[in-house]
Amino acid sequence: MSTNDNQLPSNFIRQIIADDLSNNKNNGKVVTRFPPEPNGYLHIGHAKSICLNFGIAIENNGACHLRFDDTNPEKESIEYMESIKRDVQWLGFKWNELCHASDYFEPLYRYALQLIEQGQAYVDSLSAEQIRAYRGTLTEPGKASPDRNRSVVENLDLFKRMRAGEFADGQYVLRAKIDMASPNINMRDPAIYRIRRVHHQRTGNDWCIYPMYDYTHCISDAIEGITHSLCTLEFEDHRPLYDWVLDQLHTPCHPQQIEFARLQLEYTIVSKRKLNQLVTEKYVNGWDDPRMPTIAGLRRAGFTPKALRDFCERIGLTKQNSWIEMGVLEYCIREDLNENAWRAMAVLQPLRVVISNYPEGQVESLEISNHPQRHELGKRQVPFSKVILIEQDDFAQIPPPKYKRLIVGGEVRLRGSYVIRCDEVIKDADGNIIELQCSYDPETLGKNPEGRKVKGVIHWVSEQQSYPAEVRLYHRLFNVPQPDNEENFLDALNPDSLEVLTDCRVEASLAKANVENRYQFERTGYFCLDAVDSSDGKLVFNRTVTLREGWVKD
Ligand code: ATP
Ligand code: MG
């Protein structure tokens, strides 16, 4: 019986698993795995796979393993492994077992000997280039290597000597002996071992031969007793090879590979190789740059695990590749932050306002709610004084039609405070506005003014009691919706993806912000403290997302 939570939408994989459970396949067990190669940081596409694999295990009282597919030591590192573990945990998941493909180097080797003994693998001396040329095309069958009929005895001897380090890198490969005429090119005697003298981050110099992905993956799944091996669509054509290897070896367990469409998100890239290029060629400031679609980047930008999980659920699961709009991800984070972020005031581009009829030296402490709907989040004290700062574009000398903010002779309400009127504009010698002279109506704190309507509400901070801050606004990393389809994705980079505002002022309560907090800066968006560049004396805030899609101020 399926124990699927009825609240969760069904999808074809949940359905397959429910059917398997009702047939008591695998004795009613569900074991999945998330198998990243530690050759980069995880991205939002991986989040889809993580939520799927861990989610299915949780829903079915099963288990999910985190397995590092670490068979390509040149490109892999401990730093990447650590970042992957951190990201999976941050998303809210716990692996039942932490595994490494490299844990299985010995059994993988023994299974290769078994294939050779069964006459199903041979040592080939063709070069990589020759193998490619012999492989044939989609319309032409491949050609057998002259080594294809090497005897079992000779193959065993050569393979053992490959392991013993007697040959140079590239001198031989071990190939599965399947079918050079197969319409599926993956079945035309794929290489399963190659000689590579590289230090491995876990096995050191124990091995100079390394198994290939297709061969390693299915056996690792079988060794771990995985029941459902979920992977992306590009592996559909590899499934016959997955099954072939396990069938020949008669492994005690034969997992079922099921493919689903990978996530493609508009205006960004989900390929570790390309993201790596952005990092190493310094188009961005590291893997955790908030513009990056990496989990580390999204976290630093202020995204929450809840929003990412919600996103992965919402985009669903299909067998058709398609592009998801960035708006879907933004919707999910807004939903979370609208409900949970504390409200605060920050002025990103300050304009000085002097309130002429407010007593010199007086500081008033105003109580303002932390959240307009959630009263349990309490109130905070916001200091008000004679000199305040407002947003430059909350004042207009020549207002556009329907302008509801401050104009000369007009009134506006300061959020949580009084109504002020602008009496005069002070300019410097070049005609730049440097200050507004205003007056306030002392009768308007928490009350409407007598006999007139004031429509506009603007945010503000007290000049003396506010703190300087740097605010970083992030825009799309790419200018085109599908940068992956460009001839050179780098040409599609948006040169203006990072906007840094260095003269911002934030209300006093934000001096105590920590990286776990999320804020809505009134009227300007959702923000969080930058975990990397903020320090005791320096506040740096990242904009996570604007308040509304395609938001235009007022
Ligand atoms: P990349 O091309 O970014 O390196 P990958 O598929 O090579 O991706 P792996 O480390 O092998 O990266 O991925 C681990 C798991 O995450 C695999 O099961 C893979 O299918 C899945 N995965 C990777 N990218 C996506 C994506 N965009 N959408 C859904 N699942 C993904
Ligand atoms: Mg890969």
Side-chain angles (χ1 to χ4, degrees):
M1 273 299 293
S2 160
T3 53
N4 274 3
D5 185 335
N6 289 333
Q7 309 249 297
L8 294 168
S10 183
N11 61 48
F12 75 97
I13 292 184
R14 284 196 176 117
Q15 196 52 56
I16 291 172
I17 290 177
D19 292 346
D20 286 351
L21 286 170
S22 61
N23 294 326
N24 202 33
K25 196 175 162 189
N26 308 308
N27 299 319
K29 270 198 325 198
V30 175
V31 185
T32 56
R33 85 286 170 268
F34 171 63
E37 187 183 347
N39 61 348
Y41 279 59
L42 298 180
H43 51 62
I44 179 88
H46 293 112
K48 175 174 176 176
S49 176
I50 293 169
C51 290
L52 175 67
N53 280 295
F54 283 91
I56 279 182
I58 293 167
E59 287 161 34
N60 295 290
N61 285 322
C64 181
H65 301 177
L66 172 61
R67 183 198 313 141
F68 290 111
D69 225 320
D70 56 348
T71 55
N72 229 340
E74 299 97 315
K75 298 196 178 130
E76 299 164 1
S77 76
I78 300 283
E79 177 203 344
Y80 293 143
M81 288 194 186
E82 291 305 315
S83 76
I84 289 169
K85 288 196 265 182
R86 184 163 64 235
D87 290 348
V88 171
Q89 285 171 324
W90 179 77
L91 275 174
F93 297 108
K94 284 200 188 86
W95 48 87
N96 297 79
E97 283 181 40
L98 180 64
C99 312
H100 303 78
S102 57
D103 296 339
Y104 315 130
F105 280 169
E106 197 59 52
L108 285 160
Y109 175 76
R110 275 185 275 115
Y111 275 128
L113 292 174
Q114 184 185 337
L115 280 183
I116 295 172
E117 279 161 6
Q118 292 173 187
Q120 288 164 320
Y122 60 99
V123 174
D124 198 350
S125 58
L126 291 185
S127 67
E129 221 165 287
Q130 287 170 315
I131 289 182
R132 216 170 301 128
Y134 275 58
R135 191 179 294 138
T137 63
L138 287 174
T139 50
E140 284 168 50
K143 211 167 74 177
S145 160
D147 291 342
R148 195 169 198 265
N149 288 322
R150 207 191 282 283
S151 72
V152 168
V153 174
E154 205 183 336
N155 281 321
L156 280 175
D157 175 58
L158 284 173
F159 186 56
K160 287 176 183 169
R161 288 164 60 195
M162 279 169 67
R163 176 182 185 172
E166 290 187 28
F167 306 118
D169 286 14
Q171 196 176 337
Y172 287 110
V173 291
L174 182 69
R175 298 177 70 177
K177 191 170 179 177
I178 312 179
D179 178 5
M180 288 307 291
S182 171
N184 182 341
I185 291 182
N186 296 305
M187 299 298 272
R188 294 183 190 170
D189 293 11
I192 57 176
Y193 265 94
R194 60 197 174 136
I195 307 174
R196 241 321 182 279
R197 279 180 180 72
V198 277
H199 181 87
H200 187 282
Q201 64 271 15
R202 296 186 72 246
T203 59
N205 296 326
D206 290 355
W207 294 87
C208 64
I209 55 171
Y210 289 100
M212 305 294 282
Y213 176 86
D214 279 328
Y215 173 75
T216 309
H217 200 86
C218 53
I219 296 176
S220 306
D221 280 349
I223 291 174
E224 290 176 22
I226 302 300
T227 56
H228 299 84
S229 178
L230 313 178
C231 63
T232 38
L233 278 184
E234 67 272 22
F235 290 102
E236 199 164 17
D237 289 345
H238 297 235
R239 183 169 6 113
L241 177 54
Y242 185 105
D243 289 331
W244 183 91
V245 171
L246 298 186
D247 283 343
Q248 309 319 307
L249 294 172
H250 306 288
T251 48
C253 152
H254 189 133
Q256 180 184 2
Q257 174 177 312
I258 308 169
E259 308 85 17
F260 62 94
R262 58 197 292 127
L263 166 68
Q264 305 177 101
L265 187 60
E266 285 189 347
Y267 293 98
T268 191
I269 290 244
V270 280
S271 145
K272 268 185 276 168
R273 184 177 59 77
K274 290 179 180 168
L275 293 173
N276 196 343
Q277 199 179 343
L278 293 179
V279 173
T280 47
E281 296 176 18
K282 301 206 178 336
Y283 292 99
V284 294
N285 302 316
W287 285 98
D288 64 350
D289 186 306
R291 291 167 293 177
M292 290 279 272
T294 51
I295 295 177
L298 291 162
R299 171 168 64 232
R300 188 169 163 196
F303 280 76
T304 59
K306 181 167 180 262
L308 295 189
R309 290 194 304 262
D310 180 31
F311 171 74
C312 292
E313 196 56 58
R314 217 173 264 275
I315 57 177
L317 209 63
T318 66
K319 280 247 181 210
Q320 272 86 44
N321 279 317
S322 64
W323 288 80
I324 305 291
E325 287 176 28
M326 195 53 110
V328 181
L329 180 59
E330 294 185 351
Y331 175 85
C332 295
I333 185 65
R334 278 193 198 103
E335 283 267 299
D336 185 9
L337 295 183
N338 182 42
E339 190 183 330
N340 296 309
W342 287 36
R343 273 44 172 179
M345 290 195 285
V347 175
L348 307 190
Q349 286 167 310
L351 170 61
R352 196 160 190 265
V353 170
V354 177
I355 302 168
S356 46
N357 59 339
Y358 195 85
E360 192 84 47
Q362 179 170 314
V363 181
E364 202 171 332
S365 196
L366 304 177
E367 251 194 357
I368 302 185
S369 294
N370 289 323
H371 196 288
Q373 283 88 42
R374 297 185 52 193
H375 302 296
E376 77 275 16
L377 295 183
K379 294 184 172 185
R380 66 192 189 281
Q381 304 293 325
V382 182
F384 182 77
S385 68
K386 187 176 178 74
V387 183
I388 61 165
L389 303 167
I390 66 168
E391 213 68 71
Q392 282 167 19
D393 63 4
D394 279 338
F395 170 77
Q397 277 191 291
I398 305 165
K402 296 193 184 155
Y403 190 75
K404 291 198 211 92
R405 294 166 275 158
L406 199 56
I407 57 174
V408 179
E411 283 185 312
V412 81
R413 173 172 293 282
L414 298 174
R415 167 80 81 211
S417 174
Y418 300 96
V419 168
I420 57 168
R421 170 192 307 279
C422 177
D423 303 316
E424 199 187 338
V425 183
I426 315 288
K427 295 181 182 171
D428 65 12
D430 299 326
N432 302 312
I433 302 175
I434 50 170
E435 189 180 299
L436 302 179
Q437 287 284 331
C438 295
S439 46
Y440 85 116
D441 180 344
E443 299 306 314
T444 54
L445 188 61
K447 282 190 285 192
N448 283 329
E450 291 281 312
R452 58 198 200 279
K453 268 214 152 69
V454 175
K455 284 215 183 110
V457 182
I458 65 174
H459 59 277
W460 56 277
V461 295
S462 167
E463 186 183 54
Q464 277 282 304
Q465 287 80 19
S466 60
Y467 286 80
E470 177 176 313
V471 167
R472 299 176 182 169
L473 308 180
Y474 301 101
H475 304 281
R476 287 172 171 154
L477 191 50
F478 291 92
N479 278 325
V480 299
Q482 300 175 3
D484 250 336
N485 293 343
E486 296 291 299
E487 203 168 287
N488 180 358
F489 77 106
L490 295 173
D491 293 340
L493 274 169
N494 173 11
D496 304 316
S497 55
L498 171 62
E499 190 182 341
V500 181
L501 304 173
T502 50
D503 298 324
C504 314
R505 304 285 301 197
V506 300
E507 67 168 66
S509 72
L510 288 171
K512 296 194 288 286
N514 70 54
V515 293
E516 302 305 323
N517 298 140
R518 298 289 182 279
Y519 297 97
Q520 183 191 106
F521 288 177
E522 301 262 5
R523 302 175 64 238
T524 59
Y526 292 102
F527 291 81
C528 72
L529 197 67
D530 185 78
V532 178
D533 294 331
S534 301
S535 58
D536 261 356
K538 187 175 180 207
L539 295 170
V540 179
F541 288 96
N542 294 321
R543 184 171 68 193
T544 311
V545 67
T546 53
L547 288 181
R548 287 184 280 280
E549 199 173 0
W551 177 72
V552 198
K553 227 171 158 190
D554 248 27

